[in-house]
Amino acid sequence: MADVAESAAGENERRFGWWDMFTRPEDDPRSDGGFKGELATLVGYLKDQRLTLEMKCSGLDAEGLARRSVPPSNMSLLGLVRHMAGVEHSWFRRILGGQDLPRLYRSEEDRDADFNGATGDAECVAEAWEAWRREVAFAERFVTEAPSLEVSVVHEGEELTLREVLVHMIEEYARHNGHADLLRECVDGRVGQ
């Protein structure tokens, strides 16, 4: 667990140490920004958020990935991977791509199946990562092949552009990566980044 010391005021305080971090800065696969242009900026930040989710899950076995947070929450790292596969699928395939497909991990009977079905077995983990990688690859191809960020569809009666979806995806990953920080710290004490 984290290196904790008692402060002069008698409170516990975390002490920094590389032992509990995911990677040293020189080994971090994510960018330092510096993107040129709007498209490169949006795509670059989204890629970095996707890499962050992978980092938060790295090195855990199926049981660790499926470990739930504080009851009554059904949230787990594996649930987040499944959830984000579903989010990628919904926005890029179903909404922007216009594909008439059922949602991943979600039904009328169980709207939280992405989290509820995240079980600690190797087959469930492998399927979740396969789905997530497949949907990320589709989204990346869709963005690469789009003529501009102005590509739009009508969604729920409103015009929606590719630009808006990319911004939403960055926000969605950033919010859930905050959850992933806390989930991972509960599993084995690794923090940060």
Side-chain angles (χ1 to χ4, degrees):
M1 284 298 175
D3 189 14
V4 177
E6 194 169 299
S7 70
E11 300 171 356
N12 286 338
E13 71 181 42
R14 177 188 270 291
R15 291 190 295 187
F16 176 80
W18 283 111
W19 66 271
D20 65 349
M21 302 298 276
F22 284 91
T23 185
R24 292 182 174 274
E26 61 270 17
D27 299 324
D28 195 328
R30 296 167 299 179
S31 72
D32 287 328
F35 307 111
K36 302 290 185 218
E38 183 181 19
L39 178 61
T41 299
L42 293 171
V43 168
Y45 277 101
L46 180 53
K47 180 180 179 184
D48 286 346
Q49 290 297 323
R50 289 169 173 153
L51 285 167
T52 298
L53 179 61
E54 284 189 289
M55 288 173 66
K56 297 298 175 181
C57 297
S58 67
L60 291 177
D61 61 13
E63 182 181 313
L65 285 168
R67 187 169 302 156
R68 303 282 168 99
S69 67
V70 180
S73 176
N74 61 355
M75 192 175 286
S76 67
L77 288 165
L78 180 57
L80 288 175
V81 172
R82 289 164 52 99
H83 176 71
M84 293 311 300
V87 170
E88 297 267 5
H89 177 263
S90 188
W91 284 110
F92 290 100
R93 279 193 200 271
R94 297 178 74 242
I95 296 168
L96 288 173
Q99 295 182 11
D100 185 19
L101 298 169
R103 294 187 66 162
L104 293 182
Y105 311 117
R106 189 172 180 173
S107 67
E108 289 300 317
E109 298 79 36
D110 189 357
R111 295 180 57 79
D112 286 332
D114 42 4
F115 292 102
N116 293 334
T119 61
D121 65 81
E123 193 173 303
C124 182
V125 171
E127 189 280 328
W129 281 115
E130 179 185 319
W132 183 78
R133 288 187 175 99
R134 179 183 64 240
E135 297 309 322
V136 166
F138 179 89
E140 289 173 339
R141 276 191 313 276
F142 185 93
V143 172
T144 298
E145 294 170 4
S148 77
L149 290 170
E150 297 303 317
V151 166
S152 67
V153 296
V154 175
H155 177 64
E156 297 180 350
E158 301 286 328
E159 184 179 14
L160 177 72
T161 65
L162 175 57
R163 175 185 291 105
E164 291 171 290
V165 170
L166 290 171
V167 170
H168 172 73
M169 291 300 294
I170 293 166
E171 180 272 334
E172 182 92 10
Y173 272 99
R175 179 168 24 98
H176 289 311
N177 282 337
H179 298 134
D181 282 336
L182 297 173
L183 287 162
R184 182 60 186 255
E185 189 172 2
C186 286
V187 172
D188 66 2
R190 291 181 81 185
V191 298
Q193 303 163 289

